[in-house]
Amino acid sequence: MRALRTRTRTLLAALLAAGAFLASAVSALPTAPAAAATDAPRPYVDGNRIRDARTGEVWVPHGANKPALEYACVQNWVPAFTPDEAAAMASWGMDVVRIPLN
């Protein structure tokens, strides 16, 4: 049971880190002056739910996996995660990205 809690906390931390990465990548993109900027979700755990600190509402992360990055340092290559990829993911409604690292 303790191992499950540890894995759950580790997974949640990874999701939050990936969400923060995606939010920072998307916010770094140039925008038109008329475009309204939105804040990234600020998730926190409330019992058995994840809530957004901005609204207090239950937050359900929507995201994807960016595969193969866990092999980058072993195979001695630099992973690419471009602003275009981040913009495409954001346009699809994604707010988290799993980025496996080794």
Side-chain angles (χ1 to χ4, degrees), residues 65-81:
N65 181 40
K66 178 70 174 157
L69 297 179
E70 64 267 34
Y71 305 110
C73 62
V74 175
Q75 296 175 350
N76 201 25
W77 56 275
V78 177
F81 189 74

Side-chain angles (χ1 to χ4, degrees), residues 49-97:
R49 298 181 188 269
I50 301 174
R51 295 191 180 274
D52 187 345
R54 300 170 304 157
T55 63
E57 295 179 5
V58 173
W59 178 65
V60 178
H62 298 93
N65 181 40
K66 178 70 174 157
L69 297 179
E70 64 267 34
Y71 305 110
C73 62
V74 175
Q75 296 175 350
N76 201 25
W77 56 275
V78 177
F81 189 74
T82 66
D84 290 338
E85 288 176 309
M89 290 177 182
S91 73
W92 299 329
M94 295 181 191
D95 49 13
V96 296
V97 177

Side-chain angles (χ1 to χ4, degrees), residues 18-30 81-87 90 97 99:
F21 175 77
L22 178 61
S24 67
V26 170
S27 66
L29 296 174
F81 189 74
T82 66
D84 290 338
E85 288 176 309
V97 177
I99 303 173

